[in-house]
Amino acid sequence: MRRKRQRRWSMVQKVAATLAVTLLLCSCGGLFSLYRLEQYNLEYIYELIGELIDSSIENLEDNLDTIQTTLYNVVLSDDVQDAAGNLLEAEEEETVSSSEKNSSYTAITDCIQKNIRSYSAIVCASFFDRSNSGRSIAMTHYYQLSEEDAGTVIDEAVAASGSIILLDGTEMTGAENVLIMAMEIKEKKNLSLTHLGVIVFFVDLNTLGAELTESHDGIYVLGNAEGAYHYILNDSEGVLDLETFSAAGQNGFHVEKIQGEAYFLVERTQADDTFSYVVLTPYAELFKGTQSTYRFYMILLILSGVAALIAGMVFAQWITKDIRQFIHYIQRVPDANSDQLPLYEKEVHDKDACELKSAFNQMSQNFNELIRDNYANQLLIKETQLQALQSQMNPHFLYNALNSVYWMVKTAGHKNAAGMISSLSIMLKETISNQEFLISVEKEISIVSHYFVIQKYRYEERLNVSIDIADDCRSLQIPKFTIQPLAENAINYGLEQMLEPCTIEVRVYKVKERKASDQEPEEEKTKLAEAFVREQADGQTESKEKNTSGTAADYICEVRNNGPEPEENLMEKLRSETLLPKGNGIGLLNIEKRVRSVFGDEYGIRVFREGKFTVVQVWMKQVPVEESNDSGEQG
């Protein structure tokens, strides 16, 4: 598998990236500072507006309380009580003349007019008797409720049972910002509390809230939590629509978009007040100077960032000039038609580049010396190659001689001796053939089989051999002479160390596809795989990643014998050289090194005791045919 090509950055690119990141962080810091400054300004404006309108709100609430007190006093006044009582008697006895009724109505209206004369916000008042007949007292405006609206006001007042009610009078009167105050007249004589009528005040909120609009030039929204009344003051351009506008209902501020324009919204809500107050001020008017300052600093920040980036790029080009020239020189070296590596003679000003130049020139001198030494040794190498060719003649001569002896013995009728000589000659032929580094498992088993043929003639009944190769493993690739040395070790350290018969088993199987007769419990296989990975990690600096099957192998070549128990932690001791290998043959470390050179460092050999058997496993993975061919050519 081809590795993904790693992207490398030049020094100029790194400097530019560093500058860009630095400028980005500085910009984020500057923007955050501007944002915090804007928030601080918003909080300051909120407090300022709050201080401006709080006293006006308090005065407005006091005026409302005074008007309500006036209404309460009118309802309880002796004049109104007596006149309304007379109307009640006239209604019950039906003996009072119309002039007497009119006199009672006049007394009530005079009392009302006398009490509200000093309040400019009360623009009109009305009295409704028990039959809902009404009389209006106009001050600056004249409002007469329809029969239906009058019934609504009277019903609400009666339901309030002596308390003052507040209603929205905009629709009832047809005028904007009119607040209706109404209170039921109950007879206090003898505490009968009989219904005598209803008195209604019409309050102009524009007049009442004039002090608000004078203290701060904003749009005011007055309302109550139940939505019984809702008013907009000082909205000359008709910006707000009560049907779509809504406030959060708590003290605070925020910026709100209305008809595409930003408004700074301040809300003041108090539980004991009649109204909740929302003040909207055009954002542009409040922060005109601040916004121009923000815009100036943003443009300055962008321009300074671009200037710093350009200056950084120019500076990076300047400081890397010597190094870039040196790199360009090195890139042209392979094209130079010379047996010697040329020295870098150009003058260098940068300190680091100067040290790099000295190191390169020293390396060039050493390399040139190696070239001369290598040329001087070519004759010796050729002489060595001739000697190697000559030394190969003896094994070939021995193989040809054994082949002749085989036919002579076979002709004489000694079948056993002929078979032994045949196996020996085949093994000798495979040994002296160095054309292949990787061979198939089937071919490796063929070599092992011939080896066991020779050993069977030697040890006869003392040696029992079984070979079990999974069909799907026969064509898999394996380094040459991997299993045969393990079989030889089983003879040397198993059979030759015991008097009783020795059983040697050779198996090759895929990790996930062992035969049912040899299948270990899944839990035991997992433990063996984990133990192998831990063993590899102990023998190396680190263990590489396991494959997707969950183990460190695709298939296993296994040789087991019932000989003596091996040295404890044998492979760890061999790898750490705390135990020296014995014999002159191909050792376990040699096999492991060749396996890892093909499959990787996460594969190798595991030696352990399983019951009465000593088990040697070679863990390997399946290699594609083309990859194995490349490995064989390199080997």
Side-chain angles (χ1 to χ4, degrees):
M1 182 183 295
R2 292 184 178 179
R3 293 184 178 179
K4 187 176 180 180
R5 185 176 179 182
Q6 184 179 4
R7 182 178 179 181
R8 294 179 175 86
W9 288 23
S10 67
M11 294 182 66
V12 175
Q13 290 174 325
K14 290 179 180 178
V15 171
T18 303
L19 284 173
V21 171
T22 303
L23 289 173
L24 179 61
L25 293 176
C26 293
S27 300
C28 291
L31 291 175
F32 179 75
S33 300
L34 292 175
Y35 169 76
R36 287 302 305 155
L37 179 60
E38 182 179 15
Q39 291 298 309
Y40 173 78
N41 287 338
L42 289 176
E43 293 173 2
Y44 175 75
I45 295 296
Y46 166 69
E47 296 295 335
L48 183 62
I49 293 177
E51 291 177 2
L52 288 173
I53 67 174
D54 276 347
S55 59
S56 300
I57 289 175
E58 186 176 353
N59 291 334
L60 186 147
E61 294 287 341
D62 290 342
N63 291 333
L64 280 173
D65 291 340
T66 302
I67 293 174
Q68 292 184 35
T69 302
T70 301
L71 177 59
Y72 183 79
N73 292 333
V74 169
V75 169
L76 296 180
S77 67
D78 293 336
D79 293 341
V80 171
Q81 287 285 328
D82 293 341
N86 292 335
L87 291 175
L88 175 62
E89 292 177 0
E91 181 183 348
E92 290 176 349
E93 296 177 3
E94 297 182 356
T95 59
V96 180
S97 64
S98 58
S99 60
E100 292 178 338
K101 288 184 179 180
N102 290 333
S103 176
S104 298
Y105 279 123
T106 301
I108 293 174
T109 56
D110 288 344
C111 181
I112 294 173
Q113 190 173 23
K114 180 178 66 176
N115 281 275
I116 67 176
R117 183 179 297 117
S118 59
Y119 300 104
S120 60
I122 304 176
V123 296
C124 185
S126 294
F127 164 72
F128 295 93
D129 60 13
R130 287 171 54 87
S131 62
N132 294 351
S133 296
R135 294 285 181 95
S136 295
I137 304 98
M139 301 302 291
T140 59
H141 292 78
Y142 179 78
Y143 298 127
Q144 185 172 4
L145 298 178
S146 65
E147 183 177 348
E148 181 181 355
D149 291 338
T152 300
V153 174
I154 293 170
D155 291 343
E156 292 281 347
V158 171
S161 186
S163 298
I164 296 175
I165 65 168
L166 303 178
L167 296 175
D168 186 358
T170 301
E171 293 185 0
M172 295 182 182
T173 62
E176 293 184 354
N177 299 330
V178 174
L179 176 65
I180 292 179
M181 290 185 183
M183 184 174 178
E184 179 188 16
I185 306 173
K186 290 189 174 184
E187 185 177 26
K188 65 179 181 179
K189 182 179 180 181
N190 299 325
L191 299 178
S192 66
L193 302 181
T194 304
H195 172 67
L196 300 178
V198 174
I199 293 179
V200 179
F201 285 177
F202 297 88
V203 181
D204 182 16
L205 287 181
N206 289 324
T207 303
L208 190 66
E211 189 173 351
L212 279 178
T213 56
E214 289 173 0
S215 64
H216 179 74
D217 186 17
I219 301 174
Y220 291 80
V221 180
L222 282 63
N224 70 336
E226 294 78 15
Y229 44 89
H230 217 168
Y231 303 98
I232 300 176
L233 305 182
N234 205 32
D235 185 14
S236 58
E237 298 181 0
V239 174
L240 292 185
D241 182 3
L242 288 179
E243 294 182 359
T244 59
F245 176 80
S246 63
Q250 57 187 6
N251 289 325
F253 68 91
H254 65 275
V255 179
E256 183 166 329
K257 283 277 189 179
I258 300 176
Q259 296 185 5
E261 186 175 353
Y263 284 83
F264 183 70
L265 185 149
V266 175
E267 190 166 1
R268 311 291 274 189
T269 302
Q270 299 178 6
D272 297 335
D273 290 344
T274 305
F275 292 110
S276 64
Y277 300 86
V278 178
V279 185
L280 294 99
T281 309
Y283 189 88
E285 292 182 7
L286 287 176
F287 299 97
K288 185 176 182 181
T290 306
Q291 285 183 325
S292 61
T293 304
Y294 288 164
R295 194 176 298 110
F296 170 75
Y297 279 115
M298 285 296 297
I299 295 174
L300 182 62
L301 187 64
I302 294 173
L303 293 179
S304 60
V306 173
L309 189 60
I310 295 174
M313 292 290 291
V314 174
F315 182 70
Q317 291 282 349
W318 176 70
I319 63 175
T320 59
K321 179 180 178 182
D322 289 333
I323 295 178
R324 287 185 289 106
Q325 289 179 348
F326 181 69
I327 293 173
H328 182 65
Y329 170 79
I330 293 176
Q331 290 174 342
R332 289 185 300 167
V333 167
D335 298 331
N337 297 323
S338 175
D339 294 334
Q340 299 291 310
L341 190 62
L343 302 180
Y344 187 64
E345 303 293 348
K346 193 169 183 177
E347 185 178 0
V348 174
H349 302 282
D350 184 76
K351 180 180 178 181
D352 295 330
C354 185
E355 293 180 358
L356 188 62
K357 170 188 173 182
S358 300
F360 174 78
N361 288 341
Q362 182 63 43
M363 181 197 69
S364 299
Q365 292 175 357
N366 296 337
F367 185 76
N368 292 335
E369 291 178 3
L370 289 175
I371 291 177
R372 289 192 294 269
D373 293 341
N374 183 65
Y375 181 77
N377 291 330
Q378 289 301 313
L379 293 176
L380 180 60
I381 294 174
K382 290 183 179 180
E383 183 179 352
T384 303
Q385 290 176 342
L386 290 173
Q387 291 177 354
L389 289 173
Q390 184 178 359
S391 65
Q392 287 184 358
M393 294 297 294
N394 293 331
H396 280 290
F397 172 76
L398 180 59
Y399 167 73
N400 293 330
L402 284 174
N403 195 31
S404 299
V405 173
Y406 163 75
W407 286 109
M408 291 175 63
V409 173
K410 186 174 182 179
T411 303
H414 300 288
K415 295 183 179 180
N416 290 343
M420 188 173 183
I421 292 172
S422 175
S423 296
L424 180 60
S425 64
I426 291 174
M427 286 194 64
L428 180 61
K429 179 181 179 182
E430 293 296 336
T431 302
I432 65 176
S433 174
N434 59 357
Q435 299 299 317
E436 296 176 303
F437 181 70
L438 291 178
I439 62 175
S440 65
V441 171
E442 187 172 21
K443 189 170 183 179
E444 176 74 8
I445 292 300
S446 175
I447 298 174
V448 174
S449 300
H450 286 295
Y451 173 76
F452 279 130
V453 168
I454 297 172
Q455 297 296 350
K456 187 67 177 176
Y457 283 124
R458 180 181 176 188
Y459 294 104
E460 298 180 346
E461 289 82 6
R462 289 187 60 206
L463 176 61
N464 297 316
V465 178
S466 68
I467 299 177
D468 182 9
I469 311 300
D471 292 337
D472 54 359
C473 292
R474 294 182 178 275
S475 61
L476 299 178
Q477 302 295 305
I478 186 174
K480 191 174 182 180
F481 288 110
T482 296
I483 304 178
Q484 188 276 331
L486 300 181
E488 186 174 350
N489 285 345
I491 295 290
N492 294 337
Y493 301 107
L495 175 62
E496 292 184 358
Q497 305 299 322
M498 55 192 298
L499 297 176
E500 60 271 16
C502 178
T503 299
I504 299 177
E505 299 177 356
V506 179
R507 298 177 178 178
V508 181
Y509 56 88
K510 287 189 176 180
V511 173
K512 298 168 69 174
E513 300 178 5
R514 289 186 65 176
K515 292 185 177 180
S517 60
D518 301 324
Q519 185 73 26
E520 296 175 353
E522 189 65 29
E523 182 180 354
E524 185 65 25
K525 283 172 56 180
T526 303
K527 289 181 179 179
L528 286 175
E530 293 175 351
F532 176 75
V533 173
R534 288 197 302 272
E535 203 172 89
Q536 298 298 86
D538 294 338
Q540 306 172 51
T541 56
E542 63 179 354
S543 177
K544 289 192 176 179
E545 211 176 283
K546 293 185 287 185
N547 65 2
T548 56
S549 66
T551 68
D554 288 339
Y555 69 97
I556 297 175
C557 297
E558 179 180 283
V559 178
R560 55 171 62 204
N561 69 87
N562 61 343
E565 188 172 350
E567 179 86 17
E568 186 176 359
N569 297 326
L570 177 60
M571 289 306 299
E572 289 87 342
K573 293 179 180 179
L574 289 174
R575 295 185 189 113
S576 61
E577 298 183 356
T578 56
L579 177 66
L580 298 177
K582 302 176 182 178
N584 298 319
I586 301 176
L588 295 177
L589 284 181
N590 181 286
I591 298 172
E592 188 172 67
K593 287 178 180 179
R594 290 188 290 119
V595 167
R596 289 181 175 176
S597 69
V598 176
F599 304 120
D601 291 343
E602 65 266 40
Y603 302 93
I605 292 179
R606 172 172 163 78
V607 181
F608 58 94
R609 188 75 175 179
E610 185 179 81
K612 63 179 182 178
F613 282 92
T614 296
V615 182
V616 181
Q617 292 181 339
V618 183
W619 295 58
M620 291 177 284
K621 73 171 182 179
Q622 183 176 355
V623 178
V625 176
E626 58 273 13
E627 188 175 336
S628 68
N629 290 337
D630 294 341
S631 300
E633 292 173 2
Q634 295 171 4

